[in-house]
Amino acid sequence: MKGRFAIGAAVVLLAVACRPGRLSLAPLPERIESIQGSASIRYSRGGASARAKMVFLLVPPERAGLEALDPLSRTIFSVVVEGEEATLVVPARKAYWTGARADVLEAGLGFPLSVAEMVGLLSGRWPDGPDGAGSPAGWTLTRDAQGCVIAGSRNGFDFRVDELFPRSAVPRKLGFRAATSSGSLTVLGLTANEAGAAAARRPSLPPSFVRLTKLEMERLLRDED
């Protein structure tokens, strides 16, 4: 059934997304079918601050897996998106919550971007607007003299690109601010269209994991912070 994402996702994401500590970037192809990699993220929310390593696998337009790791590479939480539904798993508490994508991403990451928007944010590749130029619908994007996106905003979410990878339009460091969170992100590695990535599917959760309501998960996450 939908919403039963597994701990196995952590294994999949770690296998395909983790990269060495040094910053690295493989050239991105013209057509992006999937992107995966890792990033260091610092964020503040509800008066608390945290730092984590994030590994991710994004398959636009509707599927994604993200995992937050502590300094010892233990999973803090993972999020899986399939269409307009998403599941947030907290392995240490053997708990998960399945709900609307926007609600789950807001609870886990602090901002409810779509998979396509996350690809745009991390790759620097944004679709043109409805008229074939400018910003995607709902977005206001700022570009530099070379046409690289260096800032953007939509519905209370704002980001700025502080540094690009050399000879590239791909962000290396960026900052963000949303209604309930703010922070910065440094991309550690990014690749596109890895073999098998687009076909990856989620396994099932162990039967010992308990499904929580939205309110119960929000309380649990506050305890984790």
Side-chain angles (χ1 to χ4, degrees):
M1 73 178 183
K2 283 190 175 182
R4 295 189 306 158
F5 184 70
I7 292 296
V11 178
V12 173
L13 287 173
L14 286 170
V16 300
C18 280
R19 294 290 180 262
R22 65 182 179 83
L23 295 168
S24 61
L25 177 69
L28 298 183
E30 185 66 27
R31 177 181 174 83
I32 296 178
E33 298 178 353
S34 67
I35 64 169
Q36 56 202 50
S38 60
S40 173
I41 184 170
R42 294 173 179 262
Y43 62 94
S44 299
R45 181 170 56 182
S49 298
R51 179 177 181 176
K53 181 177 182 180
M54 186 73 70
V55 295
F56 52 85
L57 169 61
L58 308 176
V59 185
E62 297 185 331
R63 293 194 293 119
L66 306 101
E67 186 177 10
L69 307 174
D70 69 12
L72 298 178
S73 295
R74 296 173 301 195
T75 301
I76 303 170
F77 67 82
S78 61
V79 175
V80 173
V81 179
E82 288 193 351
E84 289 303 310
E85 183 177 89
T87 298
L88 191 155
V89 184
V90 182
R93 306 293 287 273
K94 295 185 178 182
Y96 71 100
W97 163 47
T98 297
R101 171 188 55 80
D103 291 342
V104 172
L105 290 177
E106 177 71 34
L109 302 180
F111 48 85
L113 298 184
S114 69
V115 176
E117 289 168 337
M118 287 189 278
V119 170
L121 186 68
L122 291 168
S123 70
R125 301 273 191 87
W126 291 84
D128 291 331
D131 58 356
S135 302
W139 282 89
T140 300
L141 300 179
T142 302
R143 301 175 187 269
D144 64 13
Q146 289 71 46
C148 300
V149 174
I150 56 173
S153 63
R154 180 183 69 83
N155 295 340
F157 175 80
D158 302 282
F159 74 89
R160 70 181 187 281
V161 176
D162 296 323
E163 183 180 344
L164 297 170
F165 278 94
R167 301 174 297 281
S168 171
V170 178
R172 178 175 173 178
K173 296 182 179 181
L174 57 85
F176 62 87
R177 181 176 296 277
T180 62
S181 66
S182 63
S184 61
L185 181 148
T186 299
V187 176
L188 303 176
L190 189 71
T191 61
N193 302 352
E194 290 281 330
R201 296 290 176 179
R202 60 184 183 180
S204 298
L205 276 170
S208 59
F209 276 51
V210 177
R211 181 168 182 164
L212 303 182
T213 65
K214 177 182 178 180
L215 181 58
E216 289 170 336
M217 179 57 78
E218 288 174 341
R219 288 173 176 168
L220 186 151
L221 291 174
R222 285 196 294 269
D223 290 341
E224 291 294 304
D225 291 339

